[in-house]
């Protein structure tokens, strides 16, 4: 469930974010790429491609219903270890405690009674800047555990999507079991279907692309969505709802994204019959 705070609250979120991010930023690993200045999805794609093309196997996973599953008590404990100012903690607690209602996630973990999943307050609204930052804080210790304790040197995470690469399949099989056990301490579970161990030669999906040994393609569902948005923008332009500058800027942004894959012929096909200047866009 995507939701965002009112504008006046978002101003406060940004002010808080500007103060507390430097405190935590220095503790984040270099291969965590989401919601960080100077990182982002395209840099993550390059790193993922580097790891994939230098390894035989990958264990790729994402966390089932991550944002709705973030446990408030655990999150606050992780924050309290770094933040000591009472006023700042009051504001952080106010933001967390007043999170919008999220989809309930009923998961049981060792030591739980029948009502435990209902008694613990969980969930952060995915549309808030503070939620995105807290999501990184929540998995920060996990990142260090994977890199330093498991010694998975080829490890990358983008929000709740993470991957470990190795030439040793048995290592990754063991790592999966240990990771699932560790995540119970955060009251999290990996997705049972989307989380798989396979040979990198078969290709892997990551941040909207499919990474193959000799090619990077745009995922078909992302491509369909992009085409749909382009058609809608062209209709809006014809009807006078948007001007040429807005149309061009939005299209250039999408083209810049596509250029991170091997998409020259694709871009030729998409824009060959449109009103755009191909030389400028492609």
């Amino acid at each position: 469930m995507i939701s965002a705070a009112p504008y006046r609250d978002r101003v406060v979120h940004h002010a808080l974010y500007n103060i507390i991010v430097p405190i935590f930023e220095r503790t984040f690993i270099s291969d965590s790429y989401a919601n960080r200045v100077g990182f982002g999805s395209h840099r993550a794609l390059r790193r993922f491609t580097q790891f994939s093309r230098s390894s035989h196997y990958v264990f790729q996973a994402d966390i089932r219903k991550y944002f709705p599953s973030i446990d408030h008590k655990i999150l606050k404990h992780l924050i309290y270890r770094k933040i000591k100012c009472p006023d700042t903690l009051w504001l952080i607690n106010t933001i967390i405690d007043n999170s919008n209602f999220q989809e309930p996630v009923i998961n049981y973990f060792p030591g739980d009674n029948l009502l435990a999943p209902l008694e613990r307050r969980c969930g952060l609204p995915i549309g808030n800047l503070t939620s995105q930052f807290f999501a990184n804080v929540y998995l920060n210790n996990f990142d260090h555990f994977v890199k330093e304790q498991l010694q998975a040197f080829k490890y990358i995470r983008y929000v709740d999507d993470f991957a470990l690469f190795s030439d040793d399949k048995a290592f990754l099989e063991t790592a999966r079991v240990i990771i699932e056990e560790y995540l119970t301490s955060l009251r999290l579970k990996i997705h049972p279907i989307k989380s798989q161990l396979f040979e990198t030669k078969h290709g892997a999906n990551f941040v909207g692309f499919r990474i193959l040994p000799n090619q990077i393609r745009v995922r078909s569902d992302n491509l369909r969505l992009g085409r749909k948005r382009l058609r809608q923008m062209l209709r809006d332009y014809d009807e006078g709802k948007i001007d040429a500058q807005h149309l061009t800027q939005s299209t250039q942004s999408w083209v810049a994204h596509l250029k991170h894959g091997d998409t020259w012929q694709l871009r030729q096909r998409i824009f060959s019959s449109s009103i755009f200047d191909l030389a400028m866009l492609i």
Side-chain angles (χ1 to χ4, degrees), residues 171-192:
F171 166 75
L172 294 179
E173 289 173 337
T174 302
R176 174 173 185 158
V177 175
I178 297 173
I179 283 171
E180 289 187 273
E181 181 179 353
Y182 182 95
L183 287 174
T184 62
S185 67
L186 297 174
R187 300 187 66 82
L188 298 174
K189 293 186 177 183
I190 62 173
H191 196 288

PDB file of all heavy atoms in Angstrom, residues 171-192:
ATOM      1  N   PHE A 171      28.152 -23.252  -0.957  1.00  0.00           N
ATOM      2  CA  PHE A 171      28.241 -22.079  -0.079  1.00  0.00           C
ATOM      3  C   PHE A 171      26.935 -21.300  -0.080  1.00  0.00           C
ATOM      4  O   PHE A 171      26.442 -20.881   0.971  1.00  0.00           O
ATOM      5  CB  PHE A 171      29.401 -21.182  -0.519  1.00  0.00           C
ATOM      6  CG  PHE A 171      29.375 -19.815   0.102  1.00  0.00           C
ATOM      7  CD1 PHE A 171      29.737 -19.631   1.423  1.00  0.00           C
ATOM      8  CD2 PHE A 171      28.971 -18.711  -0.641  1.00  0.00           C
ATOM      9  CE1 PHE A 171      29.705 -18.362   2.010  1.00  0.00           C
ATOM     10  CE2 PHE A 171      28.931 -17.441  -0.074  1.00  0.00           C
ATOM     11  CZ  PHE A 171      29.292 -17.280   1.254  1.00  0.00           C
ATOM     12  N   LEU A 172      26.370 -21.087  -1.255  1.00  0.00           N
ATOM     13  CA  LEU A 172      25.128 -20.327  -1.363  1.00  0.00           C
ATOM     14  C   LEU A 172      23.954 -21.102  -0.765  1.00  0.00           C
ATOM     15  O   LEU A 172      23.043 -20.498  -0.171  1.00  0.00           O
ATOM     16  CB  LEU A 172      24.846 -19.978  -2.823  1.00  0.00           C
ATOM     17  CG  LEU A 172      25.838 -19.011  -3.479  1.00  0.00           C
ATOM     18  CD1 LEU A 172      25.468 -18.764  -4.938  1.00  0.00           C
ATOM     19  CD2 LEU A 172      25.894 -17.683  -2.719  1.00  0.00           C
ATOM     20  N   GLU A 173      23.959 -22.411  -0.900  1.00  0.00           N
ATOM     21  CA  GLU A 173      22.897 -23.217  -0.302  1.00  0.00           C
ATOM     22  C   GLU A 173      22.929 -23.100   1.221  1.00  0.00           C
ATOM     23  O   GLU A 173      21.885 -22.948   1.873  1.00  0.00           O
ATOM     24  CB  GLU A 173      23.049 -24.686  -0.727  1.00  0.00           C
ATOM     25  CG  GLU A 173      22.717 -24.933  -2.193  1.00  0.00           C
ATOM     26  CD  GLU A 173      23.046 -26.348  -2.632  1.00  0.00           C
ATOM     27  OE1 GLU A 173      23.898 -27.007  -1.982  1.00  0.00           O
ATOM     28  OE2 GLU A 173      22.463 -26.801  -3.632  1.00  0.00           O
ATOM     29  N   THR A 174      24.132 -23.146   1.781  1.00  0.00           N
ATOM     30  CA  THR A 174      24.278 -22.988   3.228  1.00  0.00           C
ATOM     31  C   THR A 174      23.921 -21.574   3.659  1.00  0.00           C
ATOM     32  O   THR A 174      23.253 -21.362   4.672  1.00  0.00           O
ATOM     33  CB  THR A 174      25.722 -23.317   3.652  1.00  0.00           C
ATOM     34  OG1 THR A 174      26.045 -24.651   3.263  1.00  0.00           O
ATOM     35  CG2 THR A 174      25.893 -23.169   5.157  1.00  0.00           C
ATOM     36  N   ALA A 175      24.357 -20.604   2.862  1.00  0.00           N
ATOM     37  CA  ALA A 175      24.076 -19.206   3.182  1.00  0.00           C
ATOM     38  C   ALA A 175      22.578 -18.934   3.227  1.00  0.00           C
ATOM     39  O   ALA A 175      22.097 -18.193   4.088  1.00  0.00           O
ATOM     40  CB  ALA A 175      24.739 -18.290   2.153  1.00  0.00           C
ATOM     41  N   ARG A 176      21.831 -19.550   2.341  1.00  0.00           N
ATOM     42  CA  ARG A 176      20.374 -19.338   2.327  1.00  0.00           C
ATOM     43  C   ARG A 176      19.753 -19.756   3.652  1.00  0.00           C
ATOM     44  O   ARG A 176      18.921 -19.033   4.216  1.00  0.00           O
ATOM     45  CB  ARG A 176      19.736 -20.110   1.179  1.00  0.00           C
ATOM     46  CG  ARG A 176      18.219 -20.049   1.209  1.00  0.00           C
ATOM     47  CD  ARG A 176      17.559 -20.651   0.018  1.00  0.00           C
ATOM     48  NE  ARG A 176      16.116 -20.436   0.079  1.00  0.00           N
ATOM     49  CZ  ARG A 176      15.304 -20.456  -0.969  1.00  0.00           C
ATOM     50  NH1 ARG A 176      15.792 -20.688  -2.180  1.00  0.00           N
ATOM     51  NH2 ARG A 176      14.007 -20.240  -0.822  1.00  0.00           N
ATOM     52  N   VAL A 177      20.146 -20.912   4.157  1.00  0.00           N
ATOM     53  CA  VAL A 177      19.593 -21.417   5.418  1.00  0.00           C
ATOM     54  C   VAL A 177      19.938 -20.464   6.564  1.00  0.00           C
ATOM     55  O   VAL A 177      19.089 -20.120   7.392  1.00  0.00           O
ATOM     56  CB  VAL A 177      20.133 -22.835   5.710  1.00  0.00           C
ATOM     57  CG1 VAL A 177      19.660 -23.313   7.085  1.00  0.00           C
ATOM     58  CG2 VAL A 177      19.681 -23.804   4.629  1.00  0.00           C
ATOM     59  N   ILE A 178      21.197 -20.026   6.601  1.00  0.00           N
ATOM     60  CA  ILE A 178      21.641 -19.134   7.674  1.00  0.00           C
ATOM     61  C   ILE A 178      20.928 -17.785   7.583  1.00  0.00           C
ATOM     62  O   ILE A 178      20.544 -17.195   8.595  1.00  0.00           O
ATOM     63  CB  ILE A 178      23.168 -18.960   7.612  1.00  0.00           C
ATOM     64  CG1 ILE A 178      23.870 -20.299   7.838  1.00  0.00           C
ATOM     65  CG2 ILE A 178      23.637 -17.931   8.638  1.00  0.00           C
ATOM     66  CD1 ILE A 178      25.371 -20.274   7.624  1.00  0.00           C
ATOM     67  N   ILE A 179      20.760 -17.284   6.364  1.00  0.00           N
ATOM     68  CA  ILE A 179      20.078 -16.002   6.162  1.00  0.00           C
ATOM     69  C   ILE A 179      18.638 -16.074   6.636  1.00  0.00           C
ATOM     70  O   ILE A 179      18.143 -15.166   7.321  1.00  0.00           O
ATOM     71  CB  ILE A 179      20.155 -15.587   4.681  1.00  0.00           C
ATOM     72  CG1 ILE A 179      21.548 -15.038   4.366  1.00  0.00           C
ATOM     73  CG2 ILE A 179      19.080 -14.559   4.333  1.00  0.00           C
ATOM     74  CD1 ILE A 179      21.800 -14.790   2.895  1.00  0.00           C
ATOM     75  N   GLU A 180      17.943 -17.140   6.286  1.00  0.00           N
ATOM     76  CA  GLU A 180      16.553 -17.283   6.724  1.00  0.00           C
ATOM     77  C   GLU A 180      16.459 -17.312   8.243  1.00  0.00           C
ATOM     78  O   GLU A 180      15.535 -16.735   8.834  1.00  0.00           O
ATOM     79  CB  GLU A 180      15.942 -18.543   6.116  1.00  0.00           C
ATOM     80  CG  GLU A 180      15.701 -18.440   4.620  1.00  0.00           C
ATOM     81  CD  GLU A 180      14.947 -19.635   4.068  1.00  0.00           C
ATOM     82  OE1 GLU A 180      15.609 -20.628   3.718  1.00  0.00           O
ATOM     83  OE2 GLU A 180      13.714 -19.575   3.986  1.00  0.00           O
ATOM     84  N   GLU A 181      17.432 -17.962   8.878  1.00  0.00           N
ATOM     85  CA  GLU A 181      17.447 -18.012  10.341  1.00  0.00           C
ATOM     86  C   GLU A 181      17.721 -16.634  10.921  1.00  0.00           C
ATOM     87  O   GLU A 181      17.076 -16.221  11.892  1.00  0.00           O
ATOM     88  CB  GLU A 181      18.510 -19.013  10.811  1.00  0.00           C
ATOM     89  CG  GLU A 181      18.588 -19.156  12.321  1.00  0.00           C
ATOM     90  CD  GLU A 181      19.637 -20.162  12.764  1.00  0.00           C
ATOM     91  OE1 GLU A 181      20.208 -20.853  11.898  1.00  0.00           O
ATOM     92  OE2 GLU A 181      19.889 -20.256  13.983  1.00  0.00           O
ATOM     93  N   TYR A 182      18.666 -15.901  10.334  1.00  0.00           N
ATOM     94  CA  TYR A 182      18.988 -14.561  10.829  1.00  0.00           C
ATOM     95  C   TYR A 182      17.783 -13.630  10.713  1.00  0.00           C
ATOM     96  O   TYR A 182      17.503 -12.846  11.628  1.00  0.00           O
ATOM     97  CB  TYR A 182      20.178 -13.979  10.061  1.00  0.00           C
ATOM     98  CG  TYR A 182      20.592 -12.608  10.556  1.00  0.00           C
ATOM     99  CD1 TYR A 182      21.607 -12.467  11.490  1.00  0.00           C
ATOM    100  CD2 TYR A 182      19.957 -11.448  10.104  1.00  0.00           C
ATOM    101  CE1 TYR A 182      21.989 -11.211  11.958  1.00  0.00           C
ATOM    102  CE2 TYR A 182      20.319 -10.195  10.563  1.00  0.00           C
ATOM    103  CZ  TYR A 182      21.336 -10.088  11.494  1.00  0.00           C
ATOM    104  OH  TYR A 182      21.679  -8.838  11.963  1.00  0.00           O
ATOM    105  N   LEU A 183      17.091 -13.701   9.605  1.00  0.00           N
ATOM    106  CA  LEU A 183      15.974 -12.783   9.363  1.00  0.00           C
ATOM    107  C   LEU A 183      14.833 -12.974  10.355  1.00  0.00           C
ATOM    108  O   LEU A 183      14.023 -12.061  10.545  1.00  0.00           O
ATOM    109  CB  LEU A 183      15.463 -12.937   7.928  1.00  0.00           C
ATOM    110  CG  LEU A 183      16.376 -12.364   6.836  1.00  0.00           C
ATOM    111  CD1 LEU A 183      15.835 -12.699   5.459  1.00  0.00           C
ATOM    112  CD2 LEU A 183      16.548 -10.863   6.992  1.00  0.00           C
ATOM    113  N   THR A 184      14.764 -14.138  10.996  1.00  0.00           N
ATOM    114  CA  THR A 184      13.726 -14.319  12.016  1.00  0.00           C
ATOM    115  C   THR A 184      13.934 -13.354  13.179  1.00  0.00           C
ATOM    116  O   THR A 184      12.969 -12.965  13.839  1.00  0.00           O
ATOM    117  CB  THR A 184      13.700 -15.766  12.543  1.00  0.00           C
ATOM    118  OG1 THR A 184      14.957 -16.070  13.177  1.00  0.00           O
ATOM    119  CG2 THR A 184      13.442 -16.755  11.421  1.00  0.00           C
ATOM    120  N   SER A 185      15.187 -12.944  13.436  1.00  0.00           N
ATOM    121  CA  SER A 185      15.450 -11.981  14.519  1.00  0.00           C
ATOM    122  C   SER A 185      14.875 -10.613  14.189  1.00  0.00           C
ATOM    123  O   SER A 185      14.669  -9.791  15.086  1.00  0.00           O
ATOM    124  CB  SER A 185      16.955 -11.874  14.777  1.00  0.00           C
ATOM    125  OG  SER A 185      17.630 -11.294  13.665  1.00  0.00           O
ATOM    126  N   LEU A 186      14.620 -10.361  12.903  1.00  0.00           N
ATOM    127  CA  LEU A 186      13.984  -9.120  12.455  1.00  0.00           C
ATOM    128  C   LEU A 186      12.507  -9.342  12.132  1.00  0.00           C
ATOM    129  O   LEU A 186      11.851  -8.425  11.635  1.00  0.00           O
ATOM    130  CB  LEU A 186      14.704  -8.579  11.220  1.00  0.00           C
ATOM    131  CG  LEU A 186      16.167  -8.170  11.407  1.00  0.00           C
ATOM    132  CD1 LEU A 186      16.800  -7.799  10.064  1.00  0.00           C
ATOM    133  CD2 LEU A 186      16.280  -6.999  12.372  1.00  0.00           C
ATOM    134  N   ARG A 187      12.029 -10.531  12.412  1.00  0.00           N
ATOM    135  CA  ARG A 187      10.645 -10.915  12.128  1.00  0.00           C
ATOM    136  C   ARG A 187      10.324 -10.730  10.642  1.00  0.00           C
ATOM    137  O   ARG A 187       9.282 -10.203  10.255  1.00  0.00           O
ATOM    138  CB  ARG A 187       9.663 -10.143  13.012  1.00  0.00           C
ATOM    139  CG  ARG A 187       9.881 -10.376  14.509  1.00  0.00           C
ATOM    140  CD  ARG A 187       8.798  -9.745  15.353  1.00  0.00           C
ATOM    141  NE  ARG A 187       7.491 -10.369  15.142  1.00  0.00           N
ATOM    142  CZ  ARG A 187       7.073 -11.501  15.724  1.00  0.00           C
ATOM    143  NH1 ARG A 187       7.883 -12.140  16.571  1.00  0.00           N
ATOM    144  NH2 ARG A 187       5.881 -11.981  15.472  1.00  0.00           N
ATOM    145  N   LEU A 188      11.256 -11.224   9.820  1.00  0.00           N
ATOM    146  CA  LEU A 188      11.109 -11.151   8.372  1.00  0.00           C
ATOM    147  C   LEU A 188      11.267 -12.536   7.762  1.00  0.00           C
ATOM    148  O   LEU A 188      11.955 -13.396   8.318  1.00  0.00           O
ATOM    149  CB  LEU A 188      12.163 -10.215   7.765  1.00  0.00           C
ATOM    150  CG  LEU A 188      12.139  -8.745   8.192  1.00  0.00           C
ATOM    151  CD1 LEU A 188      13.338  -8.027   7.611  1.00  0.00           C
ATOM    152  CD2 LEU A 188      10.845  -8.063   7.783  1.00  0.00           C
ATOM    153  N   LYS A 189      10.637 -12.712   6.594  1.00  0.00           N
ATOM    154  CA  LYS A 189      10.781 -13.954   5.840  1.00  0.00           C
ATOM    155  C   LYS A 189      11.033 -13.618   4.373  1.00  0.00           C
ATOM    156  O   LYS A 189      10.480 -12.649   3.851  1.00  0.00           O
ATOM    157  CB  LYS A 189       9.521 -14.811   5.961  1.00  0.00           C
ATOM    158  CG  LYS A 189       9.279 -15.354   7.369  1.00  0.00           C
ATOM    159  CD  LYS A 189       8.087 -16.308   7.395  1.00  0.00           C
ATOM    160  CE  LYS A 189       7.895 -16.889   8.793  1.00  0.00           C
ATOM    161  NZ  LYS A 189       6.788 -17.882   8.850  1.00  0.00           N
ATOM    162  N   ILE A 190      11.874 -14.430   3.736  1.00  0.00           N
ATOM    163  CA  ILE A 190      12.093 -14.220   2.313  1.00  0.00           C
ATOM    164  C   ILE A 190      10.921 -14.792   1.531  1.00  0.00           C
ATOM    165  O   ILE A 190      10.211 -15.679   2.005  1.00  0.00           O
ATOM    166  CB  ILE A 190      13.421 -14.840   1.827  1.00  0.00           C
ATOM    167  CG1 ILE A 190      13.433 -16.357   2.020  1.00  0.00           C
ATOM    168  CG2 ILE A 190      14.604 -14.201   2.522  1.00  0.00           C
ATOM    169  CD1 ILE A 190      14.661 -17.025   1.407  1.00  0.00           C
ATOM    170  N   HIS A 191      10.712 -14.259   0.332  1.00  0.00           N
ATOM    171  CA  HIS A 191       9.617 -14.719  -0.503  1.00  0.00           C
ATOM    172  C   HIS A 191       9.897 -16.152  -0.951  1.00  0.00           C
ATOM    173  O   HIS A 191      10.958 -16.434  -1.518  1.00  0.00           O
ATOM    174  CB  HIS A 191       9.463 -13.805  -1.720  1.00  0.00           C
ATOM    175  CG  HIS A 191       8.166 -13.950  -2.420  1.00  0.00           C
ATOM    176  ND1 HIS A 191       7.845 -15.053  -3.181  1.00  0.00           N
ATOM    177  CD2 HIS A 191       7.073 -13.135  -2.473  1.00  0.00           C
ATOM    178  CE1 HIS A 191       6.634 -14.909  -3.682  1.00  0.00           C
ATOM    179  NE2 HIS A 191       6.141 -13.752  -3.264  1.00  0.00           N
ATOM    180  N   PRO A 192       8.967 -17.082  -0.734  1.00  0.00           N
ATOM    181  CA  PRO A 192       9.246 -18.489  -1.018  1.00  0.00           C
ATOM    182  C   PRO A 192       9.376 -18.814  -2.504  1.00  0.00           C
ATOM    183  O   PRO A 192      10.019 -19.809  -2.858  1.00  0.00           O
ATOM    184  CB  PRO A 192       8.026 -19.210  -0.419  1.00  0.00           C
ATOM    185  CG  PRO A 192       6.945 -18.183  -0.411  1.00  0.00           C
ATOM    186  CD  PRO A 192       7.638 -16.870  -0.158  1.00  0.00           C
TER     187      PRO A 192
END
